[in-house]
Amino acid sequence: MHSLMILMALVLAWGIRLSFPLSLFPWINRWQRSLVYFLIPPLLLLMTAIAVILMGYHGEMLGWPASRFSYLLSIIFVSFALIKWIQLTYQGWYSTQQIQNYPQKIIKGYTARILDTTFPYSAQIGFWQPELVVSQGLLDTLDNAHLNAVIAHEQAHANYHDTFWFFWLGWLGRITFWLPYTETLWQDLLLLREIRADHQATQEVDPLILAESLLIVAQEINKISTLNPLGVVEAAFHDINTANRLNERIEALFDESDNLGFDNFDGRFMLLTLLPLFSIPFHC
């Protein structure tokens, strides 16, 4: 029966991903759509594996005997997930330790670590309370108005705790890299993360100034890519992975809608991932 549970979870996870619409949704629906399709399959598989481990390989479930194979398979998957979590946690910790070597400076009212490079670069580095990192190249490249726009964008990342939440999303993506559209959805979420930060920044700065800042930094994107990335706890203004989707960020900047859908996530979809845990009482 446990093997059947695992098979059903796999079929459902693949089915959800294969039903992923490739056409772009309107902004107001896109955030929830991408989160739901990205989150539910890995969480469903993880909860199924945990349920099987908790029930063990002895006894029966609804008259069907438990099996060592399903138990062992679940142990392997959860162990793999745990190893990936340890790896990512260490990478994140190492990144936060690296930036402690950078000198600090007050930039537009915010304490920032200054990276000694000519490339224009800014990012939030850390977990729940990240630190702002700004390169000397960015300070030399941008005037006060454009620098204000970049700092406002980075502060939006901090307000949303993007480095923390995307650390966990990145972990789920890595343990289910083999599911369909994992990379496509991940890249879309990265883009939407930047659009959300842009949208909040426009509450403080002119969207045109922020768009100009994007274009200025984009001109140096190839040079920036030679930097050593600071990894899984980085939310950067330039976002190398989505630089080729700059037009979408600029388009969203000038969208006149007051709500782009970032506050519309309906958590009831997540209840589906808890279904395997409700099967535990039926094991005896």
Side-chain angles (χ1 to χ4, degrees), residues 28-41:
I28 195 169
N29 299 322
R30 192 163 162 184
W31 176 250
Q32 173 159 296
R33 177 218 63 172
S34 295
L35 274 177
V36 165
Y37 279 96
F38 186 85
L39 278 174
I40 288 183

mmCIF file with all atom_site columns, all heavy atoms in Angstrom, residues 28-41:
data_model
loop_
_atom_site.group_PDB
_atom_site.id
_atom_site.type_symbol
_atom_site.label_atom_id
_atom_site.label_alt_id
_atom_site.label_comp_id
_atom_site.label_asym_id
_atom_site.label_entity_id
_atom_site.label_seq_id
_atom_site.pdbx_PDB_ins_code
_atom_site.Cartn_x
_atom_site.Cartn_y
_atom_site.Cartn_z
_atom_site.occupancy
_atom_site.B_iso_or_equiv
_atom_site.pdbx_formal_charge
_atom_site.auth_seq_id
_atom_site.auth_comp_id
_atom_site.auth_asym_id
_atom_site.auth_atom_id
_atom_site.pdbx_PDB_model_num
ATOM 1   N N   . ILE A 1 28 ? -1.432 39.716 -12.717 1.00 0.00 ? 28 ILE A N   1
ATOM 2   C CA  . ILE A 1 28 ? -2.191 39.539 -11.482 1.00 0.00 ? 28 ILE A CA  1
ATOM 3   C C   . ILE A 1 28 ? -2.348 38.072 -11.102 1.00 0.00 ? 28 ILE A C   1
ATOM 4   O O   . ILE A 1 28 ? -2.569 37.737 -9.940  1.00 0.00 ? 28 ILE A O   1
ATOM 5   C CB  . ILE A 1 28 ? -3.575 40.233 -11.594 1.00 0.00 ? 28 ILE A CB  1
ATOM 6   C CG1 . ILE A 1 28 ? -4.212 40.374 -10.209 1.00 0.00 ? 28 ILE A CG1 1
ATOM 7   C CG2 . ILE A 1 28 ? -4.498 39.456 -12.543 1.00 0.00 ? 28 ILE A CG2 1
ATOM 8   C CD1 . ILE A 1 28 ? -5.419 41.273 -10.191 1.00 0.00 ? 28 ILE A CD1 1
ATOM 9   N N   . ASN A 1 29 ? -2.216 37.144 -12.081 1.00 0.00 ? 29 ASN A N   1
ATOM 10  C CA  . ASN A 1 29 ? -2.350 35.719 -11.806 1.00 0.00 ? 29 ASN A CA  1
ATOM 11  C C   . ASN A 1 29 ? -1.021 34.971 -11.807 1.00 0.00 ? 29 ASN A C   1
ATOM 12  O O   . ASN A 1 29 ? -0.964 33.824 -11.361 1.00 0.00 ? 29 ASN A O   1
ATOM 13  C CB  . ASN A 1 29 ? -3.266 35.065 -12.848 1.00 0.00 ? 29 ASN A CB  1
ATOM 14  C CG  . ASN A 1 29 ? -4.663 35.636 -12.842 1.00 0.00 ? 29 ASN A CG  1
ATOM 15  O OD1 . ASN A 1 29 ? -5.202 35.951 -11.789 1.00 0.00 ? 29 ASN A OD1 1
ATOM 16  N ND2 . ASN A 1 29 ? -5.253 35.796 -14.022 1.00 0.00 ? 29 ASN A ND2 1
ATOM 17  N N   . ARG A 1 30 ? -0.001 35.599 -12.317 1.00 0.00 ? 30 ARG A N   1
ATOM 18  C CA  . ARG A 1 30 ? 1.235  34.872 -12.612 1.00 0.00 ? 30 ARG A CA  1
ATOM 19  C C   . ARG A 1 30 ? 1.990  34.429 -11.357 1.00 0.00 ? 30 ARG A C   1
ATOM 20  O O   . ARG A 1 30 ? 2.548  33.328 -11.315 1.00 0.00 ? 30 ARG A O   1
ATOM 21  C CB  . ARG A 1 30 ? 2.123  35.755 -13.485 1.00 0.00 ? 30 ARG A CB  1
ATOM 22  C CG  . ARG A 1 30 ? 3.293  35.031 -14.104 1.00 0.00 ? 30 ARG A CG  1
ATOM 23  C CD  . ARG A 1 30 ? 3.839  35.855 -15.238 1.00 0.00 ? 30 ARG A CD  1
ATOM 24  N NE  . ARG A 1 30 ? 5.173  35.462 -15.618 1.00 0.00 ? 30 ARG A NE  1
ATOM 25  C CZ  . ARG A 1 30 ? 5.899  36.087 -16.545 1.00 0.00 ? 30 ARG A CZ  1
ATOM 26  N NH1 . ARG A 1 30 ? 5.390  37.138 -17.168 1.00 0.00 ? 30 ARG A NH1 1
ATOM 27  N NH2 . ARG A 1 30 ? 7.109  35.665 -16.845 1.00 0.00 ? 30 ARG A NH2 1
ATOM 28  N N   . TRP A 1 31 ? 1.997  35.261 -10.332 1.00 0.00 ? 31 TRP A N   1
ATOM 29  C CA  . TRP A 1 31 ? 2.731  34.943 -9.102  1.00 0.00 ? 31 TRP A CA  1
ATOM 30  C C   . TRP A 1 31 ? 2.158  33.685 -8.459  1.00 0.00 ? 31 TRP A C   1
ATOM 31  O O   . TRP A 1 31 ? 2.885  32.760 -8.116  1.00 0.00 ? 31 TRP A O   1
ATOM 32  C CB  . TRP A 1 31 ? 2.675  36.134 -8.165  1.00 0.00 ? 31 TRP A CB  1
ATOM 33  C CG  . TRP A 1 31 ? 3.306  35.949 -6.823  1.00 0.00 ? 31 TRP A CG  1
ATOM 34  C CD1 . TRP A 1 31 ? 2.676  35.867 -5.628  1.00 0.00 ? 31 TRP A CD1 1
ATOM 35  C CD2 . TRP A 1 31 ? 4.720  35.858 -6.536  1.00 0.00 ? 31 TRP A CD2 1
ATOM 36  N NE1 . TRP A 1 31 ? 3.595  35.717 -4.609  1.00 0.00 ? 31 TRP A NE1 1
ATOM 37  C CE2 . TRP A 1 31 ? 4.849  35.718 -5.140  1.00 0.00 ? 31 TRP A CE2 1
ATOM 38  C CE3 . TRP A 1 31 ? 5.881  35.879 -7.328  1.00 0.00 ? 31 TRP A CE3 1
ATOM 39  C CZ2 . TRP A 1 31 ? 6.089  35.595 -4.507  1.00 0.00 ? 31 TRP A CZ2 1
ATOM 40  C CZ3 . TRP A 1 31 ? 7.118  35.754 -6.699  1.00 0.00 ? 31 TRP A CZ3 1
ATOM 41  C CH2 . TRP A 1 31 ? 7.207  35.620 -5.307  1.00 0.00 ? 31 TRP A CH2 1
ATOM 42  N N   . GLN A 1 32 ? 0.818  33.663 -8.269  1.00 0.00 ? 32 GLN A N   1
ATOM 43  C CA  . GLN A 1 32 ? 0.200  32.497 -7.639  1.00 0.00 ? 32 GLN A CA  1
ATOM 44  C C   . GLN A 1 32 ? 0.352  31.268 -8.515  1.00 0.00 ? 32 GLN A C   1
ATOM 45  O O   . GLN A 1 32 ? 0.633  30.172 -8.010  1.00 0.00 ? 32 GLN A O   1
ATOM 46  C CB  . GLN A 1 32 ? -1.286 32.754 -7.361  1.00 0.00 ? 32 GLN A CB  1
ATOM 47  C CG  . GLN A 1 32 ? -2.008 31.511 -6.853  1.00 0.00 ? 32 GLN A CG  1
ATOM 48  C CD  . GLN A 1 32 ? -3.279 31.818 -6.112  1.00 0.00 ? 32 GLN A CD  1
ATOM 49  O OE1 . GLN A 1 32 ? -3.261 32.439 -5.069  1.00 0.00 ? 32 GLN A OE1 1
ATOM 50  N NE2 . GLN A 1 32 ? -4.399 31.374 -6.650  1.00 0.00 ? 32 GLN A NE2 1
ATOM 51  N N   . ARG A 1 33 ? 0.168  31.425 -9.825  1.00 0.00 ? 33 ARG A N   1
ATOM 52  C CA  . ARG A 1 33 ? 0.291  30.280 -10.724 1.00 0.00 ? 33 ARG A CA  1
ATOM 53  C C   . ARG A 1 33 ? 1.662  29.630 -10.606 1.00 0.00 ? 33 ARG A C   1
ATOM 54  O O   . ARG A 1 33 ? 1.787  28.406 -10.435 1.00 0.00 ? 33 ARG A O   1
ATOM 55  C CB  . ARG A 1 33 ? 0.051  30.725 -12.168 1.00 0.00 ? 33 ARG A CB  1
ATOM 56  C CG  . ARG A 1 33 ? 0.216  29.623 -13.205 1.00 0.00 ? 33 ARG A CG  1
ATOM 57  C CD  . ARG A 1 33 ? 0.865  30.130 -14.468 1.00 0.00 ? 33 ARG A CD  1
ATOM 58  N NE  . ARG A 1 33 ? 2.216  30.607 -14.239 1.00 0.00 ? 33 ARG A NE  1
ATOM 59  C CZ  . ARG A 1 33 ? 3.054  30.961 -15.198 1.00 0.00 ? 33 ARG A CZ  1
ATOM 60  N NH1 . ARG A 1 33 ? 2.676  30.907 -16.448 1.00 0.00 ? 33 ARG A NH1 1
ATOM 61  N NH2 . ARG A 1 33 ? 4.270  31.394 -14.918 1.00 0.00 ? 33 ARG A NH2 1
ATOM 62  N N   . SER A 1 34 ? 2.724  30.434 -10.659 1.00 0.00 ? 34 SER A N   1
ATOM 63  C CA  . SER A 1 34 ? 4.080  29.890 -10.619 1.00 0.00 ? 34 SER A CA  1
ATOM 64  C C   . SER A 1 34 ? 4.387  29.248 -9.269  1.00 0.00 ? 34 SER A C   1
ATOM 65  O O   . SER A 1 34 ? 5.030  28.189 -9.202  1.00 0.00 ? 34 SER A O   1
ATOM 66  C CB  . SER A 1 34 ? 5.094  30.996 -10.925 1.00 0.00 ? 34 SER A CB  1
ATOM 67  O OG  . SER A 1 34 ? 4.940  31.457 -12.260 1.00 0.00 ? 34 SER A OG  1
ATOM 68  N N   . LEU A 1 35 ? 3.939  29.880 -8.184  1.00 0.00 ? 35 LEU A N   1
ATOM 69  C CA  . LEU A 1 35 ? 4.182  29.307 -6.861  1.00 0.00 ? 35 LEU A CA  1
ATOM 70  C C   . LEU A 1 35 ? 3.470  27.971 -6.694  1.00 0.00 ? 35 LEU A C   1
ATOM 71  O O   . LEU A 1 35 ? 4.048  27.010 -6.174  1.00 0.00 ? 35 LEU A O   1
ATOM 72  C CB  . LEU A 1 35 ? 3.720  30.280 -5.772  1.00 0.00 ? 35 LEU A CB  1
ATOM 73  C CG  . LEU A 1 35 ? 4.711  31.347 -5.333  1.00 0.00 ? 35 LEU A CG  1
ATOM 74  C CD1 . LEU A 1 35 ? 4.072  32.264 -4.303  1.00 0.00 ? 35 LEU A CD1 1
ATOM 75  C CD2 . LEU A 1 35 ? 5.990  30.734 -4.767  1.00 0.00 ? 35 LEU A CD2 1
ATOM 76  N N   . VAL A 1 36 ? 2.212  27.899 -7.118  1.00 0.00 ? 36 VAL A N   1
ATOM 77  C CA  . VAL A 1 36 ? 1.444  26.671 -6.955  1.00 0.00 ? 36 VAL A CA  1
ATOM 78  C C   . VAL A 1 36 ? 2.076  25.527 -7.741  1.00 0.00 ? 36 VAL A C   1
ATOM 79  O O   . VAL A 1 36 ? 2.297  24.424 -7.209  1.00 0.00 ? 36 VAL A O   1
ATOM 80  C CB  . VAL A 1 36 ? -0.024 26.888 -7.389  1.00 0.00 ? 36 VAL A CB  1
ATOM 81  C CG1 . VAL A 1 36 ? -0.740 25.548 -7.566  1.00 0.00 ? 36 VAL A CG1 1
ATOM 82  C CG2 . VAL A 1 36 ? -0.751 27.739 -6.367  1.00 0.00 ? 36 VAL A CG2 1
ATOM 83  N N   . TYR A 1 37 ? 2.406  25.763 -8.999  1.00 0.00 ? 37 TYR A N   1
ATOM 84  C CA  . TYR A 1 37 ? 2.986  24.704 -9.827  1.00 0.00 ? 37 TYR A CA  1
ATOM 85  C C   . TYR A 1 37 ? 4.393  24.323 -9.372  1.00 0.00 ? 37 TYR A C   1
ATOM 86  O O   . TYR A 1 37 ? 4.829  23.188 -9.558  1.00 0.00 ? 37 TYR A O   1
ATOM 87  C CB  . TYR A 1 37 ? 3.016  25.128 -11.299 1.00 0.00 ? 37 TYR A CB  1
ATOM 88  C CG  . TYR A 1 37 ? 1.699  24.959 -12.005 1.00 0.00 ? 37 TYR A CG  1
ATOM 89  C CD1 . TYR A 1 37 ? 0.810  26.020 -12.127 1.00 0.00 ? 37 TYR A CD1 1
ATOM 90  C CD2 . TYR A 1 37 ? 1.322  23.731 -12.551 1.00 0.00 ? 37 TYR A CD2 1
ATOM 91  C CE1 . TYR A 1 37 ? -0.408 25.877 -12.773 1.00 0.00 ? 37 TYR A CE1 1
ATOM 92  C CE2 . TYR A 1 37 ? 0.110  23.567 -13.198 1.00 0.00 ? 37 TYR A CE2 1
ATOM 93  C CZ  . TYR A 1 37 ? -0.754 24.640 -13.301 1.00 0.00 ? 37 TYR A CZ  1
ATOM 94  O OH  . TYR A 1 37 ? -1.964 24.482 -13.932 1.00 0.00 ? 37 TYR A OH  1
ATOM 95  N N   . PHE A 1 38 ? 5.105  25.279 -8.774  1.00 0.00 ? 38 PHE A N   1
ATOM 96  C CA  . PHE A 1 38 ? 6.457  24.988 -8.303  1.00 0.00 ? 38 PHE A CA  1
ATOM 97  C C   . PHE A 1 38 ? 6.440  24.261 -6.961  1.00 0.00 ? 38 PHE A C   1
ATOM 98  O O   . PHE A 1 38 ? 7.188  23.300 -6.752  1.00 0.00 ? 38 PHE A O   1
ATOM 99  C CB  . PHE A 1 38 ? 7.258  26.280 -8.170  1.00 0.00 ? 38 PHE A CB  1
ATOM 100 C CG  . PHE A 1 38 ? 8.711  26.074 -7.826  1.00 0.00 ? 38 PHE A CG  1
ATOM 101 C CD1 . PHE A 1 38 ? 9.640  25.829 -8.823  1.00 0.00 ? 38 PHE A CD1 1
ATOM 102 C CD2 . PHE A 1 38 ? 9.151  26.114 -6.509  1.00 0.00 ? 38 PHE A CD2 1
ATOM 103 C CE1 . PHE A 1 38 ? 10.988 25.627 -8.520  1.00 0.00 ? 38 PHE A CE1 1
ATOM 104 C CE2 . PHE A 1 38 ? 10.490 25.919 -6.192  1.00 0.00 ? 38 PHE A CE2 1
ATOM 105 C CZ  . PHE A 1 38 ? 11.407 25.677 -7.196  1.00 0.00 ? 38 PHE A CZ  1
ATOM 106 N N   . LEU A 1 39 ? 5.568  24.687 -6.044  1.00 0.00 ? 39 LEU A N   1
ATOM 107 C CA  . LEU A 1 39 ? 5.606  24.204 -4.666  1.00 0.00 ? 39 LEU A CA  1
ATOM 108 C C   . LEU A 1 39 ? 4.925  22.865 -4.442  1.00 0.00 ? 39 LEU A C   1
ATOM 109 O O   . LEU A 1 39 ? 5.455  21.998 -3.735  1.00 0.00 ? 39 LEU A O   1
ATOM 110 C CB  . LEU A 1 39 ? 4.950  25.241 -3.741  1.00 0.00 ? 39 LEU A CB  1
ATOM 111 C CG  . LEU A 1 39 ? 5.793  26.424 -3.278  1.00 0.00 ? 39 LEU A CG  1
ATOM 112 C CD1 . LEU A 1 39 ? 4.919  27.402 -2.510  1.00 0.00 ? 39 LEU A CD1 1
ATOM 113 C CD2 . LEU A 1 39 ? 6.943  25.943 -2.409  1.00 0.00 ? 39 LEU A CD2 1
ATOM 114 N N   . ILE A 1 40 ? 3.731  22.690 -5.003  1.00 0.00 ? 40 ILE A N   1
ATOM 115 C CA  . ILE A 1 40 ? 2.927  21.527 -4.631  1.00 0.00 ? 40 ILE A CA  1
ATOM 116 C C   . ILE A 1 40 ? 3.609  20.192 -4.939  1.00 0.00 ? 40 ILE A C   1
ATOM 117 O O   . ILE A 1 40 ? 3.644  19.301 -4.067  1.00 0.00 ? 40 ILE A O   1
ATOM 118 C CB  . ILE A 1 40 ? 1.530  21.612 -5.277  1.00 0.00 ? 40 ILE A CB  1
ATOM 119 C CG1 . ILE A 1 40 ? 0.708  22.711 -4.584  1.00 0.00 ? 40 ILE A CG1 1
ATOM 120 C CG2 . ILE A 1 40 ? 0.802  20.275 -5.173  1.00 0.00 ? 40 ILE A CG2 1
ATOM 121 C CD1 . ILE A 1 40 ? -0.703 22.847 -5.095  1.00 0.00 ? 40 ILE A CD1 1
ATOM 122 N N   . PRO A 1 41 ? 4.171  19.970 -6.148  1.00 0.00 ? 41 PRO A N   1
ATOM 123 C CA  . PRO A 1 41 ? 4.775  18.653 -6.417  1.00 0.00 ? 41 PRO A CA  1
ATOM 124 C C   . PRO A 1 41 ? 5.880  18.252 -5.438  1.00 0.00 ? 41 PRO A C   1
ATOM 125 O O   . PRO A 1 41 ? 5.820  17.142 -4.885  1.00 0.00 ? 41 PRO A O   1
ATOM 126 C CB  . PRO A 1 41 ? 5.286  18.791 -7.851  1.00 0.00 ? 41 PRO A CB  1
ATOM 127 C CG  . PRO A 1 41 ? 4.354  19.788 -8.467  1.00 0.00 ? 41 PRO A CG  1
ATOM 128 C CD  . PRO A 1 41 ? 4.117  20.789 -7.377  1.00 0.00 ? 41 PRO A CD  1
#
